[in-house]
Amino acid sequence: MNDLQAWTAVEFEAQLRARSGSYHIHHPFQVMMHEGKCTREQIQAWVANRYYYQISIPIKDAAIMANCPDREVRRHWVQRILDHDGYGGEEGGIEAWIRLGEAVGLSREDIVSQRLVLPGVRFAVDAYINFARRVPWQEAAASSLTELFAPTIHKSRLDHWPTHYPWIEAEGYNYFRRRLTEAPRDVVNGLRITLGHFNTRELQERALAILQFKLDLLWSMLDAMLLAHCPVHIDGWGAYTQMSKVS
């Protein structure tokens, strides 16, 4: 039993946002991309592997909705599925990601066949879907709050990649532009659920653990890509150090 007093909503949100230090923007693979140190093949590998995560997002969100008896929540949450799968005349984020793949030199078949997806990436993403299916819907919703930190990474790519990687076709950046408006909207909804449901200190700490699980999952995806596509070694403190080939 946790006898500590619950944080206020402001304090709890601050605790959630403080987890930004574990966001994958700080992963060595992401740092390499940000600094323009990735090769064409490494960028292609990242896009091809991340595609498996992109197509799994609406599956995860459908699992949340399937477990949620609250009609009002479902009415808001379904927008996430529509954003990725598309609807009406809108192609959606998954198609935008395929266009990113084509912009970095992959064929559509390279991407949608998933033949380039690493086992470690597949394992991590499947674990996320399974988590969303089996836990209470509020917990699965809280896991989506890595979106708190997403606009920063998308803006960084839009600001720096055209200079670092001039060979990437401009149309490929549409996915990142979309998420600059979609992610903040989703954060409002996700925070409303999380701040409302996790209202004891024990539950709040559970929410922080869930958010850390999702952050670790995103980090582990990049670990798999780094080990497969970048020459690295691990120093005595457990930190990744880039070798001269990619420095």
Side-chain angles (χ1 to χ4, degrees):
M1 183 71 177
N2 192 331
D3 294 326
L4 295 175
Q5 184 176 2
W7 289 305
T8 66
V10 172
E11 292 169 335
F12 182 28
E13 182 175 342
Q15 290 285 337
L16 292 165
R17 292 185 181 276
R19 296 295 170 117
S20 63
S22 298
Y23 191 51
H24 63 171
I25 195 172
H26 304 294
H27 191 282
F29 200 110
Q30 289 284 4
V31 173
M32 287 170 58
M33 288 194 289
H34 171 71
E35 295 178 348
K37 295 179 179 179
C38 279
T39 65
R40 184 185 299 255
E41 291 74 20
Q42 288 165 343
I43 294 289
Q44 290 174 344
W46 176 74
V47 173
N49 276 276
R50 181 81 181 187
Y51 173 75
Y52 189 64
Y53 178 80
Q54 300 303 132
I55 62 173
S56 298
I57 292 173
I59 299 173
K60 174 267 298 183
D61 288 325
I64 293 173
M65 292 180 61
N67 290 330
C68 176
D70 189 320
R71 177 184 176 220
E72 286 305 310
V73 171
R74 296 197 306 268
R75 289 177 64 185
H76 288 285
W77 206 270
V78 71
Q79 185 62 50
R80 297 167 182 252
I81 298 176
L82 299 177
D83 286 343
H84 281 83
D85 283 345
Y87 65 99
E90 172 61 45
E91 292 184 328
I94 291 174
E95 182 61 29
W97 194 269
I98 294 172
R99 300 285 176 83
L100 172 62
E102 292 174 330
V104 302
L106 296 169
S107 70
R108 178 174 288 262
E109 175 62 19
D110 288 333
I111 304 161
V112 301
S113 69
Q114 303 174 30
R115 67 179 184 82
L116 300 176
V117 177
L118 296 165
V121 171
R122 193 178 297 273
F123 183 86
V125 174
D126 288 351
Y128 187 34
I129 294 175
N130 289 332
F131 173 83
R133 284 173 173 160
R134 67 179 176 80
V135 301
W137 68 268
Q138 297 95 334
E139 294 194 357
S143 72
S144 296
L145 282 179
T146 48
E147 292 164 335
L148 285 166
F149 321 120
T152 299
I153 203 170
H154 296 318
K155 188 175 186 305
S156 172
R157 290 165 186 155
L158 290 169
D159 289 344
H160 298 286
W161 279 28
T163 299
H164 291 323
Y165 309 109
W167 49 270
I168 297 178
E169 297 175 6
E171 184 183 355
Y173 294 116
N174 287 342
Y175 177 85
F176 305 132
R177 295 189 186 96
R178 291 170 57 99
R179 293 306 294 166
L180 285 178
T181 56
E182 293 170 352
R185 179 207 63 206
D186 292 343
V187 163
V188 172
N189 189 19
L191 272 177
R192 183 185 303 115
I193 293 169
T194 301
L195 297 179
H197 175 75
F198 297 87
N199 55 9
T200 68
R201 186 63 169 270
E202 184 176 14
L203 287 174
Q204 290 169 338
E205 290 179 353
R206 169 66 177 161
L208 290 174
I210 290 168
L211 180 56
Q212 189 62 54
F213 158 75
K214 175 66 179 306
L215 290 164
D216 291 345
L217 187 149
L218 293 172
W219 195 278
S220 69
M221 290 170 57
L222 288 169
D223 280 347
M225 295 180 224
L226 188 73
L227 292 172
H229 297 288
C230 308
V232 301
H233 70 273
I234 301 176
D235 66 26
W237 297 100
Y240 294 98
T241 305
Q242 304 305 313
M243 299 177 71
S244 59
K245 183 177 179 180
V246 293
S247 62

